[in-house]
Amino acid sequence: MLGRAANGVFWMSRYLERAENTARLIDVGFHLALTRGSRQSQDEEWKSVLTTTGLLDDYCAKHADFAGHQVFNYLLRDRDNPGSVLSMVENARTNARVVRTSLTNAVWETTNEGWMHLRDLLARPVRETNLGEVLTQIRRTGTLVRGAIEGTMLRNEVFNFSRIGTFIERADNTARILDVKYYVLLPSAAWVGSSLDNVQWDTLLRSVAGNRAYSWLNAGSMDPRGIARFLILDGQFPRSLIFSYEKIRSNMAGLAKQYGHEVPAHELLRDAGARLHQLTIEEIFEGGLHEFLQDFIGKTIEIGNAIAADYRFNA
């Protein structure tokens, strides 16, 4: 299973998760930009979306402004952008095809059909009138593939590498969104920890599909520190940092059982997970939320690289 096959299922899952995360960011950016009173405020919202995806510099090298239709087409379908949703879903499909014999028919077919549908939808520039349809299809593709994996795959190394890829990507994405949005939504550093407009924080939660879950747990009360606790330390929420690390740990334990031994990445993950479990949100804020998130992102990248090195595939 090592080498090419591990690489294929790991990156298939990472690309699909990243594509879905990008779709959620575009959806939130679009709706939040509509509420902004000035063109400058709208531009700042789209700029924050590009910053979160890590594509701001590449976008600025090609475009002079942040017009909404220009930004979301760049993120969705620009062939010069290797981080576009179209490129990511195509890469997921390519990786799935490489390891097709290790996948069930259901997993391959949902991946392939999702790519074909998106290829057709993104063959022409996306307009505001059909943006919702495109974003829904991207999210649906990710959901269907995950459902096929959960419902039809043996709980073997293929399943474990796929899940590890998903949750490494998810942990990284949630941390980046929280890091960027926390400061973008605050008018100044003096407002950190203060009460903010509910609509702004609702958009942050929507970007990680967490608005309904947070509302259930907190009776609809919007509080910056409470939202940070929810996204970092709530083990019930499937996109929180601590939940993602627990799933990576569980699937790494599955690999150790299947192969009969642990690798150095196990110890790295244990240390990072133990530290996360010991922290309170008060300690995180006292040490600096931005500093904590930057350290977490760096540690997640390190863990991903270690797993790739230990199991001999591309990080």
Side-chain angles (χ1 to χ4, degrees):
M1 182 60 209
L2 298 182
R4 188 176 70 167
N7 183 74
V9 294
F10 178 83
W11 278 107
M12 177 194 78
S13 295
R14 285 201 72 165
Y15 280 127
L16 286 172
E17 181 72 20
R18 193 177 301 176
E20 184 178 344
N21 292 336
T22 300
R24 293 186 189 281
L25 284 171
I26 293 171
D27 187 38
V28 170
F30 175 71
H31 285 95
L32 193 55
L34 290 177
T35 69
R36 301 305 197 194
S38 67
R39 175 61 186 273
Q40 182 179 357
S41 296
Q42 294 173 8
D43 287 355
E44 284 300 315
E45 180 55 38
W46 284 115
K47 187 176 179 181
S48 77
V49 171
L50 289 163
T51 300
T52 306
T53 60
L55 296 170
L56 179 61
D57 291 343
D58 291 340
Y59 176 87
C60 290
K62 186 172 183 178
H63 300 288
D65 58 51
F66 297 97
H69 68 90
Q70 193 167 260
V71 175
F72 63 66
N73 272 285
Y74 178 79
L75 290 170
L76 288 171
R77 62 182 299 277
D78 194 318
R79 281 294 182 182
D80 294 331
N81 174 18
S84 71
V85 167
L86 184 60
S87 294
M88 287 187 284
V89 177
E90 187 172 354
N91 287 338
R93 187 231 185 204
T94 298
N95 278 283
R97 186 174 58 190
V98 168
V99 295
R100 186 173 176 179
T101 57
S102 298
L103 304 175
T104 61
N105 287 338
V107 174
W108 164 249
E109 287 169 4
T110 51
T111 304
N112 190 47
E113 289 169 7
W115 170 75
M116 290 190 293
H117 197 168
L118 282 171
R119 178 193 58 187
D120 294 342
L121 281 175
L122 297 174
R124 293 168 296 280
V126 179
R127 301 176 183 274
E128 290 186 3
T129 52
N130 71 322
L131 178 61
E133 177 189 2
V134 172
L135 299 179
T136 296
Q137 178 58 35
I138 296 165
R139 293 193 295 265
R140 181 181 293 124
T141 296
T143 299
L144 288 174
V145 175
R146 282 196 304 274
I149 291 170
E150 289 286 342
T152 68
M153 294 290 293
L154 291 173
R155 270 35 179 184
N156 57 12
E157 61 266 41
V158 181
F159 178 82
N160 283 318
F161 278 118
S162 172
R163 295 270 289 178
I164 290 166
T166 293
F167 284 103
I168 284 179
E169 189 65 37
R170 187 173 294 182
D172 180 86
N173 177 75
T174 298
R176 289 179 190 276
I177 288 175
L178 183 55
D179 193 27
V180 172
K181 288 291 184 181
Y182 192 82
Y183 293 100
V184 166
L185 292 177
L186 290 171
S188 73
W191 282 40
V192 173
S194 65
S195 296
L196 293 174
D197 180 67
N198 285 1
V199 173
Q200 293 177 316
W201 283 110
D202 187 60
T203 60
L204 170 57
L205 290 166
R206 284 179 186 276
S207 68
V208 291
N211 53 310
R212 185 70 62 86
Y214 180 84
S215 180
W216 285 335
L217 293 173
N218 296 275
S221 175
M222 291 290 178
D223 166 64
R225 187 165 295 207
I227 291 172
R229 181 188 296 109
F230 175 69
L231 295 179
I232 296 170
L233 298 175
D234 196 316
Q236 300 178 86
F237 179 52
R239 292 183 179 273
S240 73
L241 305 190
I242 202 164
F243 184 97
S244 296
Y245 263 37
E246 276 301 299
K247 291 302 176 183
I248 299 169
R249 183 201 59 76
S250 174
N251 290 110
M252 286 291 288
L255 290 178
K257 183 177 181 180
Q258 287 154 5
Y259 292 134
H261 63 87
E262 290 192 344
V263 294
H266 282 91
E267 186 64 27
L268 194 63
L269 181 60
R270 253 194 307 272
D271 291 344
R275 178 172 179 268
L276 197 56
H277 276 281
Q278 291 165 3
L279 284 171
T280 65
I281 197 64
E282 288 74 22
E283 290 170 334
I284 290 172
F285 271 75
E286 286 172 9
L289 178 60
H290 174 68
E291 290 74 16
F292 165 79
L293 292 168
Q294 285 295 302
D295 180 69
F296 180 88
I297 291 167
K299 183 61 68 175
T300 302
I301 292 171
E302 184 183 359
I303 289 170
N305 289 340
I307 292 170
D310 291 340
Y311 291 107
R312 302 195 296 277
F313 62 87
N314 298 325

